[in-house]
Amino acid sequence: MTGRLGRPKGLGLGLRSVAGQVFALQAVIVVLLVTVGALALILQTRYDSEREARNRSLAAAEAFAHAPGLVDALKTPDPTAVLQQRAESARQAAGLDFLAVMTPDGIRYTDSRPELIGERATGDIARARAGESFTEIFTGEPTDAVRAIVPVRTEDGDIVGLVGTGIEIENVGNVVEGQLPLLLGTAAAALLLAVGGAALVSRRLRRQTHGLGPLEMTRINEHHEAVLHAVREGVLIIDADRRLLLANDEARRLLDLPADAEQRHVTELGLDPGTAALLASGRTATDEVHRAGDRLLAVNVRPTEPYRGRPTGTVMTLRDTTELATLTGRAAITRGRLQLLYEAGVRIGTTLDVVRTAEELTEVAVPRFADFVTVELLTPVLRGEEPSGAYTEMRRTALSGTRDDHPLQPVGDAIRCVVPTTPMARALDGGHAVRVTDLHTAEGWRAQDPEGAAAALAYGFHSLLAVPLLARGVVLGMANFWRADTPEPFGEDDLSFAEELTARAAVSIDNARRFTREHTMAVTLQRSLLPRVLPELSAVDVAFRYLPAKAGVGGDWFDVIPLPGARVALVVGDVVGHGLHAAATMGRLRTAVHNFSTLDLPPDELLGHLDELIDRIDRPEAGDGDRDWDGDGDGGSEADVVEGEGFQPRDRMTGATCLYVIYDPADGRCTLARAGHPGPALVHPDGRVEFPEVPAGLPLGVGGMPFESTELRLAEGTRLVLFTDGLVEDRDRDFDTGLGLLGEALARPGRSPEQACADVLTALLVPAPDDDIALLVADTRRLESDRIAQWDVPADPSAVARVRNAGAAQLAAWKLDDIAFTAELILSELITNAIRYGAEPIRVRLLRDRRLICEISDGSSTAPHLRYAATTDEGGRGLFLVAQFAERWGTRYTERGKVIWAELPLTTGAGSEAAVNGLAPDLDALENLAW
């Protein structure tokens, strides 16, 4: 604590005073000098002690080494018995800690510690063995010591032993420690004398300066002037008699004090009674609010420090809080608006849905800014289209308010701006917000809908802000902010805030609109590329579902492709990504699968060709590396223009999965392969669900590894379920959990494929799927045995007629006499070809499905070739006739050869009519036609 004028109390020797600083400096110097002197004496004493120990050890060792009879004793058979007693007596007489007689190699004959006799001495004794006497500070076992080693010589100068003596380091230190009390006492006495002298000098200095220096006197004057004239806080100093001693300029201004206010009693200063009573009482006060004319003052009162035990008075400080209160209120409003804008940035635009974004705008503004908020959007905006520029009619999209019994038009109603003087029409025409502080004066608004306006006024609506929703200079709609329960109308600050709020919302609405447009286009493209109607097949009964993702259409697809031999191919695939590119890529892949399926390839080979096709399409064309992608002449890379508006390189197809299944209803065989796609689910006739193991394979476009096929035998009525990962996997559900739910949904027998699709989606569909969902449910069927006929054919041309006749008989049994001639012709040509150019075994199979299917298989992989024979050729017309009379024909390869097939309609065709009219050629003659 300090006394008046900032002078330190007490002795005045504090560090802030000149006397205190001088005393502290002298004391530090004295302490340093005394400490250094004491350390020097201690080190000198220790050095002298060590030197004395060296001399004593060396003298004792020399004396004992030259003692009479020592050499003779060392030559005796037992030197220890002769010398141990003599060495111990010499040690005690010399005041040493140890004395040892050793061999030249350091083996002890004697030692003060008998247990060490016979042990080798440690340390460097080579110097003594060389004939040198020396002393050293030895550290090690058995103890640290000041040691001397002297060689023992014969009269001829030979070294026959060593004498080692020494004093332990601990005992040398004890000598020094014994002198420490005297040294420390001397140092303490010197320190006390020096400090006492410094104190006497400092006291004398304090009397001369009164504990202050020139700098402190200058600072005290500067502080005094600042308090009086510069500080923007009023200061009053009152003495113990409650008279004014000092008032600075700010206090005179705030309290309007007279010029001669000093030395007046506080009750005579013309102060507010409360303020005067506070000063007269002398009590302590903290931030009490008192009036001073039209001002509100925050008053603080504190007693001053007593001087020499007597009270001195009080100090009052004053602050004008009138402007501060106003600024605080404005700051609170501004802070609330900033917080609301921050929340708007976080809460508006959380989805890419136009309607939901409009609803978020109304939810943010109510009730902290407006009592009711409506949002009207143009109809094209709701559909994701570009606004046309006409905005006389809009659709109410969102409405929020503090109460539900309002008279405003509900969501979905058409809102028209017919009268040009309404606040809404003026806001849309001008492109800026329009404020109406009193709706009773809004003549245009009342004229447009008199009944609605009257109901709104009766309800309590009194103020309106109409703000257009503008994004990229285009009007998307408008937002109306209404006040009914809040008594204050909208102000100028509210106008700018509403424009800022709606501007943020407009950007989000426009983003949602553009997304809606792209999403709609992608969905339209996706659905146009997917099969609309599945073919009717005898092999399977199929139902499907396709659902696009809410966040963006992906590239999921499915297909059911009829194959020769009454077989069917079931396909499900998934392209990585979303949007138009994914949909277009899906269409390209689906077309490629259709094209490859016409080759009647096994699933693994088809996927291999598809993977090779994608890789070939994605491979840069010749010269791509030098192409000027961005059009600036510098040969810029493709990445340079991905985000720009220049030339856009073509999209890549890499990143797709596919599951390809072929089902043969003749024998129930199911062959499947997959490329990075989830395998199918099998639902057995008894309701048991199985997920068979299928080699996964790499996704399409990755390349590098062949695909593998798996073959299953399915019982009749087995259900095949193909799906994409979007069905079972979601951000809140892993793949295994989804498979479990799918198995539970499929495990109920007795449902049609359509019912199964509906139940699966009910069990697994989430409200907003992140990925597309493609689901294909196929119930398998078998061809009845009476609709299949087959014969083994020997490699003998004479067997052709017999098989042809057997086929004719089977056609008659199937009541297919109308197409018998055509079928016999095709059989004859195909069997003849197999016998002439194929290899055994040769087999013929007829299938009666929706068409008549003729299949001739042989063990050769040589493909037949359709050619057009010249008029002079004797042969070469066999396949030409097959192609003319069959609806479709083709070849597929098997593991042991090939199958040539042809399909005929079950109804009467041109070939049958020719046979009826007698125009058909002789079948036996046709067998001789060359291929």
Side-chain angles (χ1 to χ4, degrees):
M1 297 177 64
T2 58
R4 289 181 296 175
L5 300 180
R7 185 176 64 188
K9 292 189 63 178
L11 296 177
L13 294 180
L15 293 179
R16 294 184 179 180
S17 66
V18 175
Q21 294 176 3
V22 170
F23 173 75
L25 181 60
Q26 290 178 337
V28 170
I29 293 174
V30 169
V31 170
L32 289 176
L33 291 175
V34 172
T35 302
V36 171
L39 290 176
L41 288 174
I42 293 172
L43 293 176
Q44 182 63 39
T45 302
R46 185 176 184 85
Y47 174 75
D48 293 341
S49 299
E50 288 184 0
R51 185 175 60 181
E52 181 183 357
R54 285 174 180 267
N55 294 336
R56 286 172 56 195
S57 298
L58 183 60
E62 290 281 359
F64 198 84
H66 295 88
L70 178 60
V71 175
D72 296 335
L74 291 174
K75 294 180 179 181
T76 62
D78 189 7
T80 300
V82 178
L83 296 176
Q84 175 66 17
Q85 184 61 37
R86 291 172 58 187
E88 186 64 19
S89 299
R91 181 189 70 78
Q92 293 177 359
L96 302 174
D97 290 328
F98 63 87
L99 189 153
V101 180
M102 301 170 285
T103 67
D105 294 333
I107 304 300
R108 292 184 180 91
Y109 287 134
T110 69
D111 197 276
S112 56
R113 294 169 62 180
E115 67 272 11
L116 298 178
I117 296 174
E119 299 291 334
R120 184 182 299 275
T122 58
D124 183 13
I125 62 175
R127 295 165 57 188
R129 195 164 53 240
E132 179 184 355
S133 300
F134 66 91
T135 63
E136 64 177 354
I137 302 297
F138 173 77
T139 57
E141 295 296 335
T143 182
D144 299 341
V146 177
R147 184 172 71 172
I149 300 179
V150 177
V152 179
R153 299 176 182 271
T154 62
E155 292 179 357
D156 297 332
D158 296 333
I159 298 174
V160 296
L162 303 175
V163 176
T165 61
I167 300 174
E168 295 179 358
I169 295 296
E170 181 180 359
N171 293 332
V172 176
N174 291 339
V175 175
V176 178
E177 293 176 359
Q179 297 178 3
L180 281 179
L182 177 60
L183 294 175
L184 294 178
T186 304
L191 180 61
L192 289 176
L193 288 175
V195 172
L200 292 176
V201 173
S202 298
R203 181 179 290 275
R204 178 65 179 173
L205 182 61
R206 183 181 62 82
R207 291 198 195 99
Q208 296 297 327
T209 61
H210 299 285
L212 298 174
L215 181 59
E216 288 182 324
M217 296 297 295
T218 302
R219 290 177 60 192
I220 289 174
N221 183 68
E222 291 175 352
H223 294 170
H224 180 76
E225 292 297 324
V227 170
L228 286 179
H229 306 297
V231 174
R232 302 303 299 171
E233 186 169 331
V235 178
L236 298 178
I237 299 178
I238 313 298
D239 64 8
D241 297 330
R242 302 297 179 257
R243 293 184 178 275
L244 179 64
L245 294 179
L246 177 67
N248 67 350
D249 294 348
E250 184 68 7
R252 291 178 180 275
R253 184 183 72 84
L254 294 176
L255 297 177
D256 195 18
L257 295 177
D260 58 347
E262 282 81 357
Q263 300 302 322
R264 286 190 180 187
H265 196 273
V266 294
T267 58
E268 301 173 357
L269 299 177
L271 303 177
D272 180 79
T275 307
L278 174 62
L279 289 175
S281 65
R283 66 180 178 86
T284 301
T286 301
D287 288 337
E288 290 188 7
V289 179
H290 292 262
R291 295 190 63 85
D294 58 350
R295 295 188 178 92
L296 294 177
L297 304 180
V299 177
N300 291 275
V301 179
R302 292 291 185 274
T304 58
E305 192 69 25
Y307 179 70
R308 295 183 179 181
R310 294 179 296 175
T312 55
T314 56
V315 175
M316 171 185 282
T317 59
L318 312 166
R319 293 196 314 276
D320 188 355
T321 61
T322 306
E323 297 177 357
L324 181 61
T326 303
L327 292 176
T328 301
R330 292 179 180 176
I333 295 175
T334 303
R335 185 167 56 252
R337 295 289 168 81
L338 290 175
Q339 179 66 26
L340 190 56
L341 285 176
Y342 170 76
E343 292 184 11
V346 175
R347 294 174 55 186
I348 298 177
T350 58
T351 65
L352 289 173
D353 182 81
V354 173
V355 175
R356 180 56 193 154
T357 304
E359 293 173 348
E360 289 170 343
L361 170 60
T362 64
E363 293 169 357
V364 167
V366 175
R368 288 190 288 174
F369 179 66
D371 298 325
F372 293 88
V373 178
T374 62
V375 176
E376 291 81 42
L377 296 178
L378 299 174
T379 302
V381 174
L382 292 172
R383 294 196 299 261
E385 302 171 0
E386 287 287 344
S388 61
Y391 42 77
T392 56
E393 181 174 335
M394 294 176 287
R395 186 73 56 183
R396 177 149 292 171
T397 309
L399 188 156
S400 292
T402 55
R403 289 180 284 170
D404 297 331
D405 58 344
H406 55 80
L408 298 174
Q409 290 178 256
V411 172
D413 275 14
I415 306 298
R416 297 176 176 84
C417 299
V418 180
V419 180
T421 58
T422 61
M424 296 78 172
R426 288 191 291 128
L428 293 172
D429 291 335
H432 55 77
V434 172
R435 176 172 62 101
V436 180
T437 57
D438 187 0
L439 286 173
H440 292 84
T441 63
E443 299 296 337
W445 173 69
R446 298 176 64 182
Q448 178 167 277
D449 183 10
E451 295 182 1
L457 293 174
Y459 186 80
F461 288 98
H462 60 84
S463 187
L464 167 67
L465 278 177
V467 189
L469 289 167
L470 295 172
R472 299 180 293 111
V474 178
V475 175
L476 306 177
M478 69 179 313
N480 295 312
F481 302 88
W482 309 80
R483 280 187 177 174
D485 300 330
T486 304
E488 297 84 6
F490 289 108
E492 286 292 337
D493 294 340
D494 298 326
L495 193 68
S496 59
F497 172 78
E499 289 181 333
E500 176 70 19
L501 182 62
T502 53
R504 297 191 179 194
V507 172
S508 298
I509 291 174
D510 188 54
N511 290 337
R513 177 195 63 80
R514 298 169 69 180
F515 171 79
T516 301
R517 179 185 60 184
E518 182 176 344
H519 182 73
T520 303
M521 293 172 59
V523 170
T524 303
L525 177 62
Q526 178 88 346
R527 293 192 182 278
S528 67
L529 295 175
L530 290 174
R532 299 182 180 181
V533 179
L534 297 182
E536 294 185 3
L537 303 170
S538 302
V540 290
D541 181 14
V542 182
F544 68 91
R545 293 290 187 276
Y546 170 75
L547 296 176
K550 294 294 184 182
V553 175
D556 293 12
W557 90 91
F558 63 91
D559 223 329
V560 178
I561 305 173
L563 297 178
R567 296 169 303 135
V568 62
L570 305 176
V571 190
V572 169
D574 185 2
V575 175
V576 176
H578 297 276
L580 291 173
H581 169 55
T585 301
M586 179 276 295
R588 298 166 73 181
L589 290 179
R590 179 171 177 252
T591 302
V593 171
H594 264 275
N595 292 335
F596 286 132
S597 68
T598 59
L599 302 177
D600 210 352
L601 299 174
D604 55 338
E605 293 186 22
L606 184 141
L607 292 180
H609 285 289
L610 192 63
D611 180 69
E612 182 181 357
L613 172 67
I614 294 176
D615 181 66
R616 187 166 59 252
I617 293 176
D618 283 342
R619 189 176 302 141
E621 299 176 2
D624 278 0
D626 299 329
R627 181 176 296 177
D628 186 11
W629 291 102
D630 50 4
D632 59 1
D634 62 355
S637 66
E638 180 177 337
D640 293 336
V641 295
V642 169
E643 299 298 334
E645 298 180 356
F647 174 80
Q648 295 294 324
R650 59 175 174 78
D651 294 318
R652 295 175 61 86
M653 293 178 61
T654 303
T657 64
C658 183
L659 172 63
Y660 190 83
V661 180
I662 295 178
Y663 174 68
D664 189 346
D667 54 7
R669 182 172 54 183
C670 178
T671 308
L672 62 160
R674 61 186 179 125
H677 198 87
L682 295 183
V683 184
H684 295 277
D686 58 358
R688 180 171 52 89
V689 179
E690 177 187 0
F691 295 94
E693 290 290 337
V694 182
L698 296 176
L700 298 175
V702 176
M705 295 294 292
F707 299 97
E708 298 181 39
S709 291
T710 299
E711 187 174 295
L712 305 173
R713 293 286 181 173
L714 305 182
E716 185 174 5
T718 300
R719 175 168 291 172
L720 272 170
V721 180
L722 284 68
F723 55 90
T724 56
D725 56 359
L727 177 68
V728 297
E729 193 173 21
D730 194 74
R731 67 179 64 180
D732 299 323
R733 183 175 63 205
D734 59 27
F735 186 80
D736 292 336
T737 302
L739 280 185
L741 294 175
L742 177 61
E744 294 176 3
L746 294 173
R748 287 177 288 171
R751 295 171 298 167
S752 67
E754 284 289 340
Q755 292 173 335
C757 286
D759 292 345
V760 167
L761 292 183
T762 301
L764 280 82
L765 187 62
V766 296
D770 297 327
D771 197 2
D772 286 16
I773 295 174
L775 175 63
L776 196 64
V777 176
D779 284 354
T780 61
R781 302 193 187 105
R782 287 284 190 93
L783 286 180
E784 295 84 350
S785 58
D786 57 357
R787 298 172 65 182
I788 303 174
Q790 57 185 1
W791 303 273
D792 292 329
V793 181
D796 183 2
S798 63
V800 176
R802 186 178 70 255
V803 175
R804 186 179 67 237
N805 294 332
Q810 183 63 58
L811 293 176
W814 285 339
K815 298 180 181 180
L816 298 178
D817 297 322
D818 291 345
I819 62 172
F821 172 78
T822 305
E824 290 181 48
L825 173 63
I826 291 174
L827 281 175
S828 296
E829 296 301 329
L830 294 181
I831 295 172
T832 302
N833 178 66
I835 293 174
R836 288 184 178 180
Y837 303 105
E840 292 185 315
I842 302 173
R843 179 170 296 173
V844 176
R845 186 171 72 166
L846 295 179
L847 302 175
R848 183 181 183 277
D849 190 32
R850 298 177 184 271
R851 291 174 177 81
L852 178 64
I853 303 168
C854 304
E855 295 182 347
I856 291 83
S857 63
D858 66 81
S860 172
S861 58
T862 303
H865 179 64
L866 175 63
R867 64 188 180 91
Y868 297 92
T871 55
T872 59
D873 292 341
E874 296 182 1
R877 298 174 179 83
L879 282 181
F880 178 77
L881 291 175
V882 172
Q884 290 296 314
F885 284 98
E887 187 176 68
R888 288 198 311 158
W889 76 279
T891 304
R892 70 173 181 270
Y893 294 93
T894 64
E895 296 179 358
R896 299 179 179 84
K898 65 179 179 297
V899 176
I900 303 177
W901 56 269
E903 292 184 356
L904 289 80
L906 301 182
T907 57
T908 302
S912 298
E913 292 178 359
V916 172
N917 295 327
L919 300 177
D922 184 10
L923 295 181
D924 293 327
L926 286 175
E927 293 173 6
N928 297 321
L929 292 176
W931 288 73

